[in-house]
Amino acid sequence: MKSVKVAKASKFSLVISEIAPDKSISHRCAMFAMLAEGTSEITNFLRAEDTLNSLKIVEKLGAKVIDDGITIKISSNGIKESDDILDCGNSGTGIRLFCGLLSSADGHFVLTGDEYLRRRPMKRVTLPLRNIGAKLDGRDNGDLAPLSIRGASLKAFHYNSKIASAQVKSAMILAALRADGECSYSEPELSRDHTERMLKGMGADIEVDKLTTTIRPMKKLLSPLKIRVPADPSSAFFFAVAAAITPDSNVILEGVTLNPTRIEAFRALERMGSVISYDITDNKYEPIGNIHVKYAPLKAITVENNISWLIDELPVLSIAFACAEGISFVKNAEELRVKESDRISTVVNNLKTCGIEVEEFADGYSVKGGELQEAAVKSYGDHRIAMSFMIAGLRSSMKVDDVACVNTSFPNFFELLKKITKIDIED
């Protein structure tokens, strides 16, 4: 799939129940089943390239995986050494969390990914793991994949992270489950907390006190997961912005996780003036429900707090900035530079191509609202950049290149977008 041309949209009203299942939770379901005794049962697992790669990896690590198309059952008798390289594809979550999971496993393991993942920095995970005894190495002194891991005995730790990163936190929590004593992890602000919620639900001895998580090593295998993966709010947010920037439009997004650390982008859109309501329908593992978004004229805001809660949504939130009155600012978002692309530069470059006045900073950027112009932009091989600028096409026709990357996280995105406007796909 080479490129997509998205036509300008007229008003629409939709109820969407087919939002992609949550990517973060799907990754964790596959991995955490390796820590359980018995069979984990997962419904509504995200069948996208990144998460299916994680599923293939757990099979290579010795798990028995049965998928009938509805429920995935994963049974494991412990992590086994693989005779093959473990390919995480495009997933930073996959490779960084597997580093934590495998750092204490018996055997030798090699993790790699596609050309984009092999360019992304890994020291944020490999360095703290090395400091507690992990035998982990890679290119550029462990900063770039492929990464080599030889399971080792890990020391108890009390780690104060300088960044709020769910990936780093999760890797360290997974390592702590097999360390030689009680561990703690502190962060400057609360990052997304699926790992803590899910592992605690499986019986892990984990306590969270504000910004510090305390983890005691497993004395026995955990209880298996029995979970339906909710819809991904990061994916749902593309269509929230679609309604927010298209006059007289509204959308209801069904079955989305309403975890407070996952809906900060919706809160930001509310601050801009969009009319949004939430309806909780389930609250077993996490709060789950429906989100209703209605169009209203948007005004500029500054986004600088709880950045880790909306880091993935900032590219498409920036499309809303471009349609708002005034100048919006993104601050404290250095983490954007180490995603699938340098999302500060890629957002700025593409918005400039669309005729929007943008200024780039080391830790963010500013966007002066205006009229998006018809343009041809680049995805940079980044699924969120590709989808964000396809949403921009709803205001002014847009051509986006190299859109096959969308399949890593949201395979039915194109079908849902067709419910709003005409799109032409070039193979």
Side-chain angles (χ1 to χ4, degrees):
M1 195 183 298
K2 293 180 180 178
S3 64
V4 165
K5 180 73 176 291
V6 179
K8 182 178 178 179
S10 54
K11 67 178 181 179
F12 66 90
S13 180
L14 283 178
V15 177
I16 301 180
S17 59
E18 309 95 338
I19 293 294
D22 192 89
K23 185 179 179 185
S24 298
I25 294 175
S26 293
H27 275 303
R28 286 162 172 80
C29 284
M31 295 182 201
F32 297 176
M34 301 291 291
L35 300 171
E37 182 177 23
T39 301
S40 292
E41 297 182 6
I42 304 133
T43 57
N44 205 40
F45 185 90
L46 175 62
R47 288 172 170 82
E49 289 177 4
D50 278 358
T51 46
L52 289 173
N53 280 331
S54 286
L55 203 59
K56 291 175 185 175
I57 288 173
V58 302
E59 280 192 288
K60 289 182 177 180
L61 294 173
K64 181 180 180 182
V65 178
I66 299 174
D67 182 1
D68 63 8
I70 298 174
T71 301
I72 293 176
K73 296 181 179 181
I74 305 176
S75 305
S76 174
N77 289 314
I79 297 170
K80 311 297 182 185
E81 186 176 65
S82 174
D83 64 358
D84 199 358
I85 291 172
L86 308 174
D87 189 349
C88 298
N90 189 244
S91 178
T93 297
I95 195 167
R96 291 184 178 122
L97 268 63
F98 273 119
C99 282
L101 183 69
L102 298 176
S103 59
S104 62
D106 186 17
H108 177 249
F109 311 92
V110 177
L111 294 166
T112 191
D114 66 14
E115 61 177 305
Y116 300 105
L117 188 61
R118 294 195 303 272
R119 297 174 192 163
R120 294 177 66 182
M122 296 294 150
K123 272 190 179 176
R124 58 185 48 215
V125 167
T126 61
L127 190 57
L129 286 171
R130 281 173 169 176
N131 287 340
I132 62 170
K135 296 179 180 178
L136 204 159
D137 204 356
R139 292 185 300 125
D140 194 18
N141 195 27
D143 195 32
L144 298 173
L147 300 175
S148 168
I149 304 170
R150 184 171 295 281
S153 296
L154 303 181
K155 299 178 292 186
F157 62 85
H158 301 283
Y159 184 70
N160 291 303
S161 178
K162 294 180 180 179
I163 59 172
S165 167
Q167 292 178 3
V168 177
K169 178 170 64 173
S170 296
M172 296 300 286
I173 289 173
L174 288 169
L177 290 175
R178 297 184 186 274
D180 65 5
E182 181 177 293
C183 302
S184 67
Y185 182 96
S186 299
E187 53 189 344
E189 66 180 38
L190 182 64
S191 60
R192 292 173 175 177
D193 61 354
H194 298 301
T195 293
E196 302 94 299
R197 288 174 179 262
M198 291 175 68
L199 289 174
K200 191 169 184 178
M202 295 171 71
D205 192 349
I206 294 176
E207 295 178 5
V208 179
D209 182 12
K210 296 180 181 177
L211 299 178
T212 298
T213 301
T214 301
I215 313 102
R216 297 175 185 89
M218 294 189 305
K219 295 179 180 178
K220 59 179 182 178
L221 292 175
L222 304 177
S223 300
L225 283 163
K226 308 289 182 184
I227 187 172
R228 174 179 172 80
V229 178
D232 191 328
S234 298
S235 296
F237 192 64
F238 290 103
F239 293 94
V241 172
I245 67 171
T246 307
D248 301 319
S249 297
N250 73 91
V251 66
I252 297 175
L253 306 160
E254 294 187 329
V256 181
T257 176
L258 301 180
N259 180 322
T261 68
R262 294 298 306 278
I263 58 170
E264 185 72 10
F266 290 89
R267 301 299 191 193
L269 200 56
E270 282 185 88
R271 289 197 288 124
M272 295 182 72
S274 186
V275 180
I276 303 180
S277 60
Y278 309 85
D279 177 27
I280 294 178
T281 58
D282 185 26
N283 202 6
K284 183 180 178 182
Y285 284 98
E286 297 199 344
I288 296 170
N290 306 325
I291 305 176
H292 191 185
V293 183
K294 295 181 181 180
Y295 170 83
L298 300 178
K299 62 180 184 296
I301 60 170
T302 294
V303 176
E304 58 185 336
N305 299 317
N306 294 328
I307 289 293
S308 65
W309 292 10
L310 48 57
I311 197 77
D312 288 332
E313 293 89 343
L314 279 171
V316 71
L317 185 61
S318 299
I319 304 304
F321 294 162
C323 299
E325 181 182 356
I327 302 176
S328 296
F329 289 86
V330 174
K331 300 178 181 180
N332 303 321
E334 300 95 333
E335 184 79 3
L336 280 173
R337 293 202 183 272
V338 294
K339 290 293 184 176
E340 283 82 341
S341 67
D342 177 344
R343 287 181 179 160
I344 291 177
S345 293
T346 53
V347 166
V348 166
N349 291 342
N350 278 350
L351 284 177
K352 285 181 177 178
T353 301
C354 297
I356 298 298
E357 189 175 324
V358 191
E359 185 175 359
E360 180 173 340
F361 313 118
D363 66 342
Y365 47 91
S366 65
V367 180
K368 184 177 182 180
E371 289 297 323
L372 285 161
Q373 297 175 6
E374 182 174 348
V377 299
K378 298 179 180 180
S379 74
Y380 299 90
D382 186 330
H383 57 124
R384 297 199 189 277
I385 298 298
M387 289 185 282
S388 297
F389 283 87
M390 282 189 265
I391 295 299
L394 302 178
R395 281 290 286 254
S396 181
S397 297
M398 199 72 55
K399 184 175 182 178
V400 185
D401 78 349
D402 191 17
V403 295
C405 53
V406 170
N407 291 320
T408 65
S409 66
F410 201 163
N412 65 327
F413 175 83
F414 302 102
E415 295 305 313
L416 293 177
L417 193 58
K418 286 178 182 178
K419 294 183 178 183
I420 297 174
T421 192
K422 179 183 178 182
I423 66 173
D424 295 316
I425 301 175
E426 296 181 3
D427 291 323

